[in-house]
Amino acid sequence: MCGIVGAVADRNVIPILIEGLRRLEYRGYDSAGVAILNGSGQLSRQRTVGKVRVLQEAIEETPVAGHLGIAHTRWATHGAPSERNAHPHISRDGIAIVHNGIIENHEELREELAGLGYEFTSETDTEVIAHRIHHHKQKLGDLFRAVRATVAELEGAYALAVISEDEPDSIILARAGCPVVIGVGTDGNFVASDVAALLPVTRRFIFLEEGDVAEVRRQSIRILDHEGNTARRPVSESALSADAAEKGEYSHYMLKEIHEQPRAVAQTLDERAVGGKLLEAAFGPLATEVFRRTEAVQIIACGTSFHAGVVAKYFVEQIARLPCWVEIASEYRYRNPVVPRNTLFVTISQSGETADTLAALRMAKQAGYLSSLSICNVPESSLVRESDLVLLTRAGPEIGVASTKAFTTQLTALGMLVVALAKFHGTDAERERGLVQRLIEIPALIEKTLHLDGQIRELATRFADKRHALFLGRGQMHPIAMEGALKLKEISYIHAEAYPAGELKHGPLALVDAEMPVIVVAPNNDLLEKLKSNLQEVRARGGELYVFADPDAGISSSEGVTVITMPKHVSHFQAPAVYTIPLQLLAYHCAILKGTDVDQPRNLAKSVTVE
Ligand code: G6P
């Protein structure tokens, strides 16, 4: 989703802005732009539709340099992707603004501004903010006060960065509902939507809180909180290196991230699951007491993270013997839930900034839950800061829009949660040791599964010309089928659906023919025999089956049935993480054959910070 970068420094900031935008590309966008105060102290703006590379070429053709600038990648919400809707937006007298988020009362404000004689050149809600700032600046004099007066009128979510020709040494920054950070440099200061954008220039960051407005100058930073009081926000050092978010030897981030999974899962378990024991303190100092009192679990998430939650539901019930519900955040947030006594509220999110998930957490805090726990990959995120308990997945930066290592580390973290809860609900030390051991074995099993890459690449050639695909699984493997279908549609644009195999005869069987490949995940579990009967139903209708099966599943290749043999001895607790791997690889190879943009699929965003 939209990305913001800004810089005020002793050097020309154009290279910093362009590199920052490049590093934010993964968020998803359709146009890009930059505004800079040039040598003669005037705003110079360039905007282009398409990739950051196109913007860079435009700047190379008409070079511009300066010490103050803001830049943006736009993911269209109000108004189509076009040059005139791209940010920065400019108001009279040289005020420029970039914005991430959605302003809900923009129509009302627009009407009022039109009455005051302001002319609009775009369909965006952002241009309204630019004119509003200009309007207030005329009365209040300085930009900082004008931005504060403007944000007080805005309804919705935003992160804003604003500059003005009148104030050549400052960027004004405001945050409500969308993330933004300040990068503290030596020869200047920087701003961005996330730390990844600024790692080449600094490792020191200040994270704004909700409602903060900041004035970022070359030599100083001033922050006021939502009540207008001076706020002291700590400077933290990022552990990420500038090349943590580079592709390295891989052709795509997604492929790199698929191959990073053994390490990412191992890191997520490091020092938390040791000597056959799980350290529940890893969830935070209050965790032991919370888990002891937990009588039910409500899980909330979006997208791939939701699928991890659905897997966890099966294990929370089977192993910890607690009732567990899972719901998509955008639905949950508009319900009026009845909360059973002592229910733990769990959010799962790679980014920790997904607007619906955050809104659900905020709502849950008023709804009488026992406590809130977030499973998240970004330590500085809003979700982490606003939850009572936290378990960080340690996947490292995930750049490909289609989530891979974030998912398997979430499954691992949720496995730890299941064990932690089970300990307080009847599981003895021996069973705990067994479950912890199963978790520790997952990285090696993923490593073995990655060796199937050649076979899966070959298999993909049979899919690339298909328009639809069906994914089947049963029990805790149904959400894995859902995740496989999501991966395929996200990056190869092949329509894919997932079904619990027992439900086939209630509808999807009508679609099965030779043109509809059916992909099945078949580990050796107690539903295997049922699943095999479901596969017969598909074969009897001429459907082509592709089965990822346990060596002891008793399913072999025959006419219309292609079996890919998975590693041996994958237990039911490990199977969701392990059987996800071939489905990720299948989607990846189909996308390569179709020539789609694997890392930045059309219309999608990595971090969905608007509703
Ligand atoms: C977007 C991403 C998905 C992700 C989902 C939830 O749709 O493209 O990959 O699963 O958001 O994001 P979160 O950061 O909350 O896990």
Side-chain angles (χ1 to χ4, degrees):
M1 208 132 277
C2 302
I4 290 175
V5 192
V8 51
D10 289 339
R11 52 192 146 146
N12 173 22
V13 296
I14 282 283
I16 299 170
L17 298 178
I18 296 295
E19 175 61 14
L21 289 186
R22 204 185 59 75
R23 287 170 164 266
L24 292 177
E25 281 190 301
Y26 76 94
R27 295 167 70 93
Y29 70 107
D30 40 57
S31 52
V34 56
I36 192 154
L37 222 55
N38 63 23
S40 16
Q42 280 170 338
L43 272 184
S44 166
R45 173 173 66 170
Q46 281 273 18
R47 296 177 295 173
T48 49
V49 174
K51 297 290 180 194
V52 171
R53 184 174 15 89
V54 182
L55 177 68
Q56 188 173 5
E57 283 161 12
I59 294 174
E60 280 161 12
E61 255 172 50
T62 328
V64 42
H67 299 275
L68 173 72
I70 51 177
H72 190 261
T73 47
R74 173 172 186 257
W75 190 81
T77 55
H78 294 69
S82 65
E83 192 180 318
R84 70 194 189 97
N85 285 332
H87 301 205
H89 287 284
I90 291 185
S91 185
R92 300 173 190 169
D93 307 329
I95 291 175
I97 173 175
V98 289
H99 163 221
N100 173 15
I102 289 181
I103 304 304
E104 285 170 348
N105 58 339
H106 73 106
E107 273 171 13
E108 207 179 301
L109 295 172
R110 182 183 276 255
E111 257 172 46
E112 212 181 304
L113 287 163
L116 293 167
Y118 285 90
E119 279 174 20
F120 288 84
T121 58
S122 76
E123 297 139 90
T124 63
D125 50 347
T126 307
E127 195 181 0
V128 170
I129 315 176
H131 293 322
R132 224 46 222 178
I133 294 172
H134 177 266
H135 172 64
H136 287 300
K137 188 163 176 287
Q138 281 180 311
K139 280 183 286 165
L140 298 170
D142 72 277
L143 190 63
F144 191 58
R145 288 206 283 169
V147 171
R148 291 194 58 228
T150 303
V151 295
E153 301 169 335
L154 302 180
E155 285 165 24
Y158 54 82
L160 306 174
V162 192
I163 58 174
S164 162
E165 285 178 359
D166 290 350
E167 301 185 21
D169 186 38
S170 66
I171 303 173
I172 311 299
L173 203 59
R175 172 196 169 137
C178 294
V180 67
V181 299
I182 301 173
V184 183
T186 45
D187 70 336
N189 289 314
F190 312 95
V191 306
S193 296
D194 68 40
V195 298
L198 300 177
L199 288 172
V201 284
T202 185
R203 302 263 294 270
R204 301 175 65 223
F205 294 97
I206 296 174
F207 297 91
L208 290 192
E209 302 271 327
E210 287 295 286
D212 283 356
V213 180
E215 181 183 47
V216 180
R217 292 172 165 269
R218 208 178 315 201
Q219 298 294 350
S220 64
I221 294 163
R222 172 163 69 120
I223 304 172
L224 297 189
D225 67 14
H226 66 288
E227 286 175 335
N229 300 317
T230 302
R232 297 203 182 285
R233 306 282 176 233
V235 178
S236 35
E237 188 96 13
S238 172
L240 296 174
S241 65
D243 59 7
E246 295 293 340
K247 279 202 288 259
E249 67 195 78
Y250 292 96
S251 48
H252 294 91
Y253 282 110
M254 184 182 178
L255 190 61
K256 175 184 176 233
E257 288 156 5
I258 289 174
H259 283 272
E260 280 173 348
Q261 289 177 106
R263 214 181 85 216
V265 169
Q267 274 169 357
T268 300
L269 291 164
D270 250 7
E271 294 165 7
R272 294 163 163 179
V274 272
K277 277 189 159 198
L278 185 97
L279 308 179
E280 62 268 9
F283 293 84
L286 302 172
T288 309
E289 190 45 31
V290 169
F291 294 156
R292 191 189 310 281
R293 292 178 54 201
T294 299
E295 290 175 36
V297 179
Q298 171 72 64
I299 301 177
I300 296 294
C302 300
T304 289
S305 300
F306 169 72
H307 296 157
V310 185
V311 172
K313 174 190 160 67
Y314 288 87
F315 292 131
V316 171
E317 277 178 4
Q318 274 171 24
I319 298 172
R321 299 301 297 143
L322 293 173
C324 180
W325 305 275
V326 194
E327 193 164 349
I328 287 171
S330 55
E331 285 298 310
Y332 172 85
R333 64 181 286 192
Y334 293 111
R335 282 208 291 116
N336 186 6
V338 177
V339 180
R341 207 172 66 121
N342 287 334
T343 302
L344 174 64
F345 187 82
V346 179
T347 51
I348 310 168
S349 173
Q350 188 285 127
S351 63
E353 301 293 351
T354 301
D356 287 319
T357 310
L358 261 174
L361 170 64
R362 288 172 187 157
M363 179 182 133
K365 289 190 137 182
Q366 314 301 319
Y369 284 94
L370 169 66
S371 185
S372 59
L373 161 67
S374 92
I375 290 184
C376 186
N377 196 36
V378 181
E380 308 83 7
S381 63
S382 307
L383 202 68
V384 167
R385 280 186 282 147
E386 294 181 31
S387 299
D388 302 328
L389 308 178
V390 173
L391 186 65
L392 291 172
T393 49
R394 297 177 182 145
E398 190 182 67
I399 307 295
V401 163
S403 184
T404 52
K405 61 176 178 170
F407 181 63
T408 42
T409 55
Q410 286 167 348
L411 292 176
T412 308
L414 287 161
M416 291 166 65
L417 174 64
V418 167
V419 178
L421 289 170
K423 269 171 85 167
F424 294 101
H425 298 86
T427 287
D428 59 20
E430 197 186 326
R431 186 146 187 247
E432 179 188 351
R433 212 177 354 265
L435 291 167
V436 169
Q437 183 55 29
R438 297 288 88 77
L439 290 174
I440 288 170
E441 289 162 3
I442 291 176
L445 290 168
I446 293 181
E447 191 73 63
K448 278 190 191 156
T449 311
L450 287 168
H451 292 139
L452 298 174
D453 187 45
Q455 276 185 61
I456 295 168
R457 191 179 325 137
E458 171 63 31
L459 197 69
T461 57
R462 297 200 242 162
F463 281 78
D465 64 336
K466 296 286 188 285
R467 300 194 50 210
H468 308 276
L470 193 59
F471 285 71
L472 301 179
R474 291 200 69 150
Q476 63 266 24
M477 300 311 285
H478 172 230
I480 298 310
M482 287 157 72
E483 178 57 12
L486 177 64
K487 288 288 87 84
L488 191 69
K489 69 185 139 200
E490 276 179 315
I491 62 168
S492 75
Y493 315 150
I494 296 173
H495 168 232
E497 276 194 74
Y499 264 85
E503 186 69 6
L504 265 181
K505 48 193 165 303
H506 298 295
L509 216 43
L511 300 172
V512 168
D513 62 15
E515 285 312 300
M516 168 80 104
V518 180
I519 299 109
V520 188
V521 274
N524 200 356
N525 62 19
D526 49 4
L527 284 171
L528 183 64
E529 291 310 315
K530 304 267 177 214
L531 179 70
K532 283 173 154 170
S533 312
N534 303 138
L535 303 192
Q536 293 302 329
E537 294 163 6
V538 173
R539 245 343 265 148
R541 272 97 192 156
E544 286 279 328
L545 285 164
Y546 299 89
V547 190
F548 294 97
D550 186 275
D552 297 329
I555 309 175
S556 42
S557 292
S558 57
E559 202 195 328
V561 183
T562 306
V563 174
I564 286 101
T565 307
M566 293 289 288
K568 273 188 188 169
H569 308 308
V570 177
S571 79
H572 79 299
F573 198 42
Q574 300 162 326
V578 178
Y579 280 69
T580 294
I581 309 301
L583 305 187
Q584 295 170 345
L585 288 167
L586 181 64
Y588 174 78
H589 290 301
C590 285
I592 295 296
L593 290 168
K594 292 195 72 180
T596 55
D597 189 341
V598 172
D599 287 331
Q600 292 161 36
R602 68 185 180 201
N603 306 340
L604 298 181
K606 179 74 184 160
S607 176
V608 182
T609 51
V610 297
E611 187 175 355

